[in-house]
Amino acid sequence: HLKQYEQETNLGAWLIVDASESMAVGTVAGPDGTPITKYHAAGVLAAALAHLIVNQSDSVGFQTFADRPSMGLKPGGGPNRVREVLRLLGDGPTAAPSNAGQVLRELAGRLGRRGIVLAFGDFLDDAEDLAAGLRVLRSQKHEVALFQVLDAAEIDFPFRHPTLFKGLEALPEIATDPLSVRDNYLAAFGQHVAEVEAVCRSLEVDYVRVRTDDDLGRVLAGYLQRRKG
């Protein structure tokens, strides 16, 4: 008697979307005049990937998070899976702060067998803490891709007149002359983004930087082409 075991080669995918308060930022107007928030951009990318993955008969799990993971969907497929992802995305960002590093460490214990983890957020968290979370996922042999979604104004800092900046995630409001802080802000912001990208590179995590004024179709096509290559 001969028993033959066929090892499953397709990997289940987890889509993990940051729903913390900072993801509600949106300074770019869409075609209908409605602001495109970071959460909206992350959700569009996540939903599009869910559609593509389900259409190739693979399974998709879904999770949002802020300071802790929310109730999500275990990996599954079928015609209703994308609709379920869209329903959960519709809950929108919360008023809670982000704690991406801790959340990734916690989720690593729930994800089960080796799969693909696609994380979407602004990742303005401590880079070392984020690295610790990604390191746990990679130690469990998950393939990981991190989509850092940033508002165009966060990157370009186009403000010219005295401005009151609203604090998010328990930070205070700050009234300042943007021109006096622009250089220091851009240097600090650029350093943080570079640190996040360097963390991903060191852990062999795919890194994709997304602006809210990007053509999201092109962003996704570019990522898929690089992955295919």
Side-chain angles (χ1 to χ4, degrees):
H1 296 277
L2 175 66
K3 276 189 176 179
Q4 181 175 353
Y5 293 89
E6 181 179 345
Q7 183 176 5
E8 187 174 356
T9 56
N10 290 339
L11 301 179
W14 277 93
L15 305 173
I16 301 174
V17 177
D18 182 356
S20 63
E21 188 179 22
S22 66
M23 293 295 287
V25 171
T27 64
V28 175
D32 62 353
T34 303
I36 300 174
T37 66
K38 292 186 283 186
Y39 185 79
H40 172 85
V44 168
L45 292 171
L49 280 167
H51 174 75
L52 293 173
I53 293 166
V54 168
N55 275 3
Q56 65 181 24
S57 300
D58 288 326
S59 61
V60 171
F62 179 78
Q63 185 82 58
T64 60
F65 73 91
D67 54 343
R68 60 178 61 89
S70 68
M71 295 296 293
L73 299 171
K74 293 181 179 180
N80 292 325
R81 177 51 40 138
V82 176
R83 188 178 298 113
E84 292 170 329
V85 169
L86 291 171
R87 176 177 59 80
L88 292 179
L89 280 169
D91 291 340
T94 70
S98 174
N99 192 354
Q102 175 60 36
V103 166
L104 292 178
R105 290 195 294 274
E106 185 175 339
L107 286 176
R110 305 183 186 179
L111 300 186
R113 68 181 181 87
R114 175 175 173 262
I116 301 172
V117 179
L118 304 160
F120 306 82
D122 55 17
F123 300 108
L124 299 177
D125 313 68
D126 180 77
E128 291 185 5
D129 195 43
L130 177 62
L134 293 171
R135 193 173 293 113
V136 174
L137 289 172
R138 293 293 291 132
S139 71
Q140 296 180 345
K141 308 302 181 184
H142 294 292
E143 294 184 31
V144 183
L146 187 146
F147 291 76
Q148 187 173 28
V149 184
L150 300 168
D151 185 79
E154 289 176 322
I155 299 172
D156 300 332
F157 204 73
F159 310 102
R160 293 291 182 269
H161 305 291
T163 304
L164 176 65
F165 292 95
K166 181 181 178 181
L168 297 176
E169 303 191 8
L171 293 175
E173 293 183 343
I174 297 177
T176 187
D177 172 16
L179 293 179
S180 68
V181 300
R182 186 173 192 272
D183 289 345
N184 288 338
Y185 167 83
L186 290 175
F189 187 81
Q191 180 180 350
H192 175 77
V193 172
E195 287 175 355
V196 171
E197 185 172 3
V199 162
C200 291
R201 191 182 307 114
S202 68
L203 295 172
E204 297 184 335
V205 169
D206 289 340
Y207 174 83
V208 182
R209 188 179 306 166
V210 184
R211 294 172 56 111
T212 51
D213 57 355
D214 279 340
D215 181 326
L216 298 180
R218 289 183 180 274
V219 170
L220 187 55
Y223 165 70
L224 294 173
Q225 187 62 41
R226 289 194 299 274
R227 181 175 175 81
K228 181 180 179 181

